């Protein structure tokens, strides 16, 4: 009888072991000899929180394991020594007489050569929305089980652009003189069509590349292919929010995993608040705890489990894909202490890496608040963030080229902007731009004036900082006839889709004007690659007079002069005013025409023009 009962118990135990399961483990795998020793495993499965884990693997110990409000999660923290070898470690989980074993892979790390390179002021970044660039694989346009397919009749819906389309057209980007590519997020955004999540900012799984874009391995191949062409990749991330359809939302780990929208409502979108010494707690809570929009739940990074999860997710993507930098969306909306911790830990793990934080604010002082602070200027707050998005630069150029020239307007807007650079820890690390996916296109802002466009682009490529170009700008792309909504400036690239009437990726598919501007842009871009004075040189500028603005970039190996004339007619400038810089040079080579320009008493500038001279003895 005893033997029969024992056999029955053994059989039942086997059945429990056979049918009990773990539905999800994140991260899905890890690596041996990582630059961090701690690994948080998030296990998800029915009542898995009742289990406790044991691991018998050389170099791996369990530091702690935590059950949470939902019984379906278990967080296990592992300590992994540098001596630990790659392999499969077995996690033995038990709860009473129930047993589960999960095999977890520790992979060997890839060679660091050519990966995680970072980026700096020698680079030129090309920003694109993958869904709007090119569709190289129509078979993944609509995937059974996913909530939205392609609808080319509605610009607010998915258009089908993907990784295959990007790879097909990388030579177009490289030939234009770009050195780095920033893609808006490629995470799974399995959201209903009405939410318009084609942009990628409503993640529903932070460990998956959306299959409609191509999937994880395709993304890794994209990064490798970009690297093989001598360019870099910047990944877009979001730690402020996720999509309402994120799998967490069906079973939140803890009650405080997200902020309570019933209590805090929606954000006030006022990025000035964190740097405001007089800000009320009400305004701080609205900014940080309010949801961005109804379909994007706001994450609570003061939950330590979530904070660890997000940081570790970042490290996983850097190691897995080999990306060279990250652009962090809505940088000013999470808790600033968390963002500082995130940036610090990422850069400690990958010292050659770089990070851009999106800080959409109007003034230099509020922008500078978010850059790292070795001088202690920001009331004790150090963000550890090397690079910020220089929105004040964009606003100054966009306004300064269309306004009348007055005491503080017109070209003087740009002068006054740069005159405040001492507020930054290092303004040369700012990402400067004319437009992006959240703003009307620069060509439209300048009244579709090609001369003003060339002035703006010349400023972008010769000012301090790391320039970023929005896709289509190299063709002087304007707007769709849609008014002021996002989709008006998020067009698809003609030729990126089968059946398009023309293909702008090829010379024969472009208009004469597009070919002319593409050649001009590409020439300037490719010159900039070798312009060490623009990369590293000191900036010396002279107060704008008579609607002209002159500045120099000075390096021991090269000096570049930039002369801007916003007048509607030709203007002659007297060179004696700039003698402190140009006195040792007799001429300059015009970058646009390759013609020699004598530097004697005066120089005549064409109307509405930017003259870029590489000075010569």
């Amino acid at each position: 009888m005893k033997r029969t009962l024992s056999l029955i118990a053994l059989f039942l135990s086997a059945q429990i072991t056979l049918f009990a399961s773990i539905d999800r483990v994140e991260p899905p795998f890890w690596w041996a000899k990582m630059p961090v020793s701690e690994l948080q495993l998030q296990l998800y499965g029915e009542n898995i929180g009742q289990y406790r884990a044991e691991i018998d693997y050389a170099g791996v110990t369990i530091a702690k394991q935590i059950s949470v409000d939902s019984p379906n999660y278990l967080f296990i923290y592992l300590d992994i020594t540098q001596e630990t070898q790659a392999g499969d470690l077995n996690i033995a989980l038990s709860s009473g007489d129930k047993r589960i074993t999960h095999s977890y892979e520790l992979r060997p790390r890839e060679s660091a050569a050519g990966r995680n390179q970072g980026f700096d002021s020698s680079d030129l970044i090309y920003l694109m929305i993958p869904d709007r660039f090119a569709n190289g694989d129509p078979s993944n346009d609509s995937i059974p089980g996913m909530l939205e397919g392609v609808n080319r009749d509605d610009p607010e819906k998915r258009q089908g652009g993907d990784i295959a389309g990007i790879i097909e057209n990388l030579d177009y980007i490289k030939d234009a003189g770009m050195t780095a590519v920033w893609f808006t997020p490629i995470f799974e955004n399995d959201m209903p069509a009405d939410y318009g999540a084609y942009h990628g900012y409503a993640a529903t799984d932070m460990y998956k590349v959306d299959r409609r874009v191509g999937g994880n391995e395709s993304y890794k191949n994209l990064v490798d292919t970009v690297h093989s062409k001598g360019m870099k990749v910047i990944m877009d991330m979001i730690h402020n929010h996720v999509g309402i359809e994120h799998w967490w939302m069906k079973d939140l780990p803890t009650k405080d995993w997200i902020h309570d929208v019933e209590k805090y409502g929606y954000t006030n979108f006022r990025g000035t608040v964190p740097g405001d010494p007089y800000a009320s707690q009400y305004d701080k809570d609205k900014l940080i705890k309010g949801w961005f929009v109804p379909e994007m739940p706001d994450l609570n990074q003061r939950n330590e489990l979530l904070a660890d999860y997000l940081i570790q997710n970042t490290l996983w993507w850097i190691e897995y894909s080999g990306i060279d930098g990250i652009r962090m969306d809505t940088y000013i909306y999470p808790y600033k202490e968390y963002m500082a911790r995130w940036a610090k830990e990422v850069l400690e793990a990958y010292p050659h890496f770089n990070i851009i934080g999106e800080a959409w604010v109007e003034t230099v002082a509020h922008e500078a608040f978010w850059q790292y602070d070795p001088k202690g200027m920001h009331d004790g707050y150090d963000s550890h963030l090397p690079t910020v998005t220089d929105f004040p630069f964009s606003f100054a150029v966009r306004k300064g080229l269309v306004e009348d020239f007055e005491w503080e307007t017109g070209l003087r807007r740009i002068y006054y902007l740069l005159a405040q650079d001492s507020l930054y820890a290092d303004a040369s690390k700012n990402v400067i731009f004319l437009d992006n996916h959240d703003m009307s296109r620069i060509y439209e802002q300048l009244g579709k004036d090609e001369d003003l466009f060339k002035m703006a682009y010349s400023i972008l490529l010769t000012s301090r900082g790391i320039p970023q170009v929005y896709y289509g700008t190299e063709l002087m792309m304007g707007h769709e006839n849609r008014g002021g909504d996002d989709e008006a400036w998020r067009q698809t690239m003609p030729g990126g889709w089968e059946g398009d009437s023309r293909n702008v990726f090829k010379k024969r598919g472009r208009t004469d004007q597009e070919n002319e501007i593409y050649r001009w842009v590409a020439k300037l871009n490719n010159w900039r690659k070798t312009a060490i004075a623009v990369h590293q040189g000191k900036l010396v500028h002279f107060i704008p007079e008579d609607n002209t603005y002159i500045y120099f970039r000075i390096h021991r190996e090269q000096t570049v002069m930039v002369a801007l004339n916003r007048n509607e007619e030709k203007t002659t400038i007297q060179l004696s005013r700039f003698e402190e810089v140009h006195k040792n040079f007799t001429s300059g080579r015009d970058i646009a025409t390759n013609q020699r320009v004598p530097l004697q008493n005066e120089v005549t500038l064409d109307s509405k023009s930017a003259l870029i001279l590489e000075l010569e003895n």
Side-chain angles (χ1 to χ4, degrees):
M1 183 65 177
K2 288 182 179 178
R3 185 171 183 274
T4 301
L5 291 174
S6 297
L7 288 171
I8 291 172
L10 183 63
F11 174 77
L12 291 174
S13 176
Q15 293 302 301
I16 291 169
T17 302
L18 180 64
F19 293 109
S21 65
I22 298 172
D23 298 332
R24 187 186 290 261
V25 177
E26 293 183 340
F29 53 83
W30 198 245
W31 296 267
K33 305 186 188 306
M34 282 286 279
V36 295
S37 60
E38 183 179 86
L39 171 62
Q40 179 209 72
L41 295 179
Q42 182 189 78
L43 279 63
Y44 183 74
E46 187 175 1
N47 291 318
I48 195 67
Q50 298 177 4
Y51 287 72
R52 284 300 174 264
E54 294 181 356
I55 294 176
D56 183 11
Y57 194 91
V60 179
T61 56
I62 296 177
K64 57 184 175 181
Q65 39 194 319
I66 302 170
S67 297
V68 289
D69 296 334
S70 168
N72 302 321
Y73 291 86
L74 178 64
F75 291 85
I76 304 173
Y77 282 77
L78 305 182
D79 185 76
I80 304 173
T81 68
Q82 282 297 305
E83 291 72 33
T84 304
Q85 299 300 308
D88 294 329
L89 60 89
N90 288 326
I91 306 173
L93 295 132
S94 61
S95 175
D97 59 356
K98 292 178 251 187
R99 302 285 185 272
I100 304 172
T101 299
H102 180 81
S103 180
Y104 191 80
E105 182 183 9
L106 282 181
R107 296 183 174 183
R109 296 180 72 187
E110 293 186 34
S111 168
R115 307 174 90 240
N116 314 140
Q117 303 167 83
F119 57 90
D120 57 30
S121 56
S122 67
D123 285 302
L124 177 58
I125 301 169
Y126 189 72
L127 162 63
M128 74 163 72
I129 303 173
D131 182 65
R132 302 302 163 103
F133 193 67
N135 185 355
D137 182 10
S139 70
N140 63 23
D141 286 358
S142 299
I143 293 181
M146 300 197 79
L147 297 176
E148 181 183 8
V150 163
N151 181 356
R152 292 298 312 281
D153 294 327
D154 188 344
E156 295 185 2
K157 304 299 189 295
R158 287 188 174 271
Q159 301 299 297
D162 54 24
I163 288 169
I166 294 168
I167 290 176
E168 285 178 6
N169 295 291
L170 283 176
D171 285 339
Y172 165 85
I173 298 170
K174 181 178 180 180
D175 291 346
M178 310 299 171
T179 69
V181 190
W182 155 26
F183 308 102
T184 59
I186 42 69
F187 298 129
E188 178 190 275
N189 272 228
D190 193 11
M191 299 278 285
D194 290 345
Y195 290 158
Y198 65 85
H199 45 64
Y201 290 101
T204 55
D205 191 319
M206 297 179 73
Y207 279 99
K208 289 181 181 177
V209 171
D210 200 297
R211 287 171 288 165
R212 293 162 296 185
V213 177
N216 285 31
E217 287 304 305
S218 291
Y219 181 71
K220 190 175 187 305
N221 179 53
L222 170 63
V223 176
D224 291 342
T225 305
V226 172
H227 285 165
S228 73
K229 293 182 179 294
M231 296 186 289
K232 302 171 182 178
V233 176
I234 298 169
M235 187 182 213
D236 209 328
M237 287 188 172
I238 318 97
H239 285 185
N240 178 66
H241 54 261
V242 292
I244 195 72
E245 296 293 330
H246 191 288
W247 67 272
W248 281 333
M249 297 304 296
K250 298 174 178 61
D251 185 8
L252 287 171
T254 66
K255 295 182 179 68
D256 65 348
W257 201 254
I258 62 171
H259 291 118
D260 185 353
V261 69
E262 296 297 325
K263 180 176 182 180
Y264 298 108
Y266 299 96
T267 183
N268 51 29
F269 298 102
R270 293 295 180 264
T272 54
V273 167
D276 177 1
Y278 312 116
S280 66
Q281 191 60 49
Y282 176 86
D283 288 341
K284 291 177 183 177
D285 286 346
K286 287 291 285 184
L287 174 74
I288 295 168
K289 300 178 183 180
W291 287 26
F292 205 74
V293 289
E295 61 267 23
M296 294 178 178
D298 198 73
L299 296 174
N300 174 20
Q301 304 85 14
R302 284 190 173 166
N303 181 302
E304 285 296 319
L305 292 171
L306 174 59
D308 291 344
Y309 177 97
L310 294 173
I311 292 171
Q312 191 167 266
N313 177 261
T314 303
L315 301 180
W316 189 89
W317 279 110
I318 295 172
E319 188 67 26
Y320 171 72
S321 66
I323 54 173
D324 304 292
I326 289 170
R327 180 263 191 185
M328 180 58 78
D329 182 65
T330 52
Y331 197 90
I332 59 182
Y333 291 86
Y335 295 98
K336 64 182 183 179
E337 295 81 7
Y338 163 74
M339 295 312 306
R341 177 194 164 196
W342 172 77
K344 182 174 185 289
E345 292 190 18
V346 168
L347 294 173
E348 285 176 348
Y350 296 91
H352 302 297
F353 205 69
N354 199 3
I355 300 169
I356 314 165
E358 184 205 21
W360 190 321
V361 289
E362 300 285 335
T363 67
V364 171
H366 287 108
E367 192 71 69
F369 177 85
W370 293 103
Q371 196 177 44
Y372 71 102
D373 185 22
K375 302 174 185 177
M377 294 174 61
H378 302 145
D379 197 23
Y381 176 66
D382 185 354
S383 70
H384 299 284
L385 177 69
T387 300
V388 292
T389 48
D390 198 335
F391 279 91
F393 175 93
S394 176
F395 301 146
V397 175
R398 289 158 72 98
K399 294 177 182 178
L401 289 176
V402 298
E403 292 176 333
D404 291 336
F405 183 72
E406 301 291 348
W407 187 254
E408 292 184 347
T409 59
L411 291 178
R412 284 190 174 144
R413 278 192 183 274
I414 305 168
Y415 166 79
Y416 284 123
L417 170 97
L418 297 174
Q420 300 174 71
D421 273 0
S422 61
L423 295 178
Y424 291 105
D426 187 349
S428 71
K429 295 182 178 180
N430 291 10
V431 168
I432 57 176
F433 56 97
L434 303 173
D435 52 11
N436 64 25
H437 56 297
D438 291 323
M439 307 166 71
S440 59
R441 287 187 174 271
I442 186 63
Y443 186 50
E444 294 285 340
Q445 282 292 117
L446 300 177
K448 293 188 175 181
D449 187 313
E450 182 173 333
D451 292 334
L452 294 183
F453 173 87
K454 288 182 174 179
M455 287 186 72
Y457 200 88
S458 297
I459 296 166
L460 176 71
L461 260 64
T462 58
S463 189
R464 89 300 186 261
I466 308 168
Q468 167 249 297
V469 176
Y470 186 40
Y471 81 100
T473 298
E474 71 281 2
L475 301 174
M476 212 160 58
M477 187 178 278
H479 287 180
E480 298 287 343
N481 186 25
R482 291 180 51 82
D485 60 357
D486 286 340
E487 285 67 41
W489 44 81
R490 296 177 182 177
Q491 309 97 312
T492 57
M493 290 284 279
W497 277 256
E498 186 177 346
D500 283 354
S501 60
R502 65 191 188 100
N503 182 1
V504 297
F505 297 113
K506 303 295 182 182
K507 181 179 178 180
R508 62 181 177 274
R510 299 192 283 262
T511 66
D512 289 344
Q513 184 186 45
E514 287 170 340
N515 273 317
E516 185 274 328
I517 202 67
Y518 181 83
R519 285 192 300 268
W520 182 86
V521 165
K523 184 171 186 177
L524 195 56
N525 291 351
N526 282 293
W527 165 78
R528 190 185 185 279
K529 289 180 180 178
T530 62
I532 193 168
V534 177
H535 305 166
Q536 302 177 20
K538 179 174 67 172
L539 191 153
V540 174
H541 63 173
F542 293 78
I543 298 170
E545 293 182 354
D546 302 323
N547 222 0
T548 64
Y549 179 30
I550 316 300
Y551 60 90
F552 296 81
R553 301 302 306 275
I554 305 167
H555 187 271
R556 64 181 180 276
E557 297 177 16
Q558 182 189 47
T559 298
V560 173
M561 175 181 177
V562 182
L564 305 172
N565 177 25
R566 180 56 186 86
N567 291 295
E568 298 288 336
E569 61 281 332
K570 288 186 177 182
T571 301
T572 298
I573 58 171
Q574 301 300 313
L575 293 176
S576 58
R577 182 173 172 230
F578 319 111
E579 186 177 3
E580 66 186 80
V581 179
H582 78 75
K583 62 183 177 181
N584 294 324
F585 301 97
T586 59
S587 65
R589 181 176 65 87
D590 185 339
I591 299 306
T593 65
N594 286 325
Q595 294 180 349
R596 181 179 174 275
V597 178
L599 296 179
Q600 295 174 353
N601 298 322
E602 60 186 28
V603 169
T604 298
L605 306 176
D606 289 335
S607 63
K608 292 191 296 186
S609 69
L611 176 65
I612 303 174
L613 298 177
E614 190 171 330
L615 301 191
E616 301 171 339
N617 293 320

